[in-house]
Amino acid sequence: MPGNLRFDVLQVDGHLNHFTLVQGWRDRKAFDESLMAAPTRDFRQKLTPLEGALYDERLYHALRL
């Protein structure tokens, strides 16, 4: 997907259905555009029945110290 820098899945050891998805984007515009893209909508539609909780989306930015 344009602007995507990374897409990682972090899985809890011993719990296959416990995981965190981490995405890195070039900028906020690229992230926002990805939200409405067909692959993103398709992924979330397939993921929803597998979730034990609501999809929790949080946005972070890197600190420059």
Side-chain angles (χ1 to χ4, degrees):
M1 196 169 298
N4 181 263
L5 303 175
R6 68 182 305 141
F7 189 86
D8 299 320
V9 179
L10 307 174
Q11 191 173 47
V12 176
D13 192 30
H15 297 279
L16 300 179
N17 63 334
H18 293 223
F19 56 90
T20 299
L21 304 174
V22 179
Q23 300 176 57
W25 295 92
R26 177 185 62 234
D27 53 32
R28 180 61 189 259
K29 183 176 184 277
F31 168 75
D32 289 342
E33 289 174 355
S34 76
L35 294 178
M36 298 313 300
T40 303
R41 292 193 323 263
D42 184 50
F43 170 76
R44 287 190 177 181
Q45 184 178 17
K46 290 177 181 176
L47 182 67
T48 299
L50 305 175
E51 294 180 304
L54 295 175
Y55 193 83
D56 181 10
E57 185 171 79
R58 301 173 192 207
L59 300 178
Y60 297 91
H61 64 275
L63 295 178
R64 308 273 191 249
L65 302 174

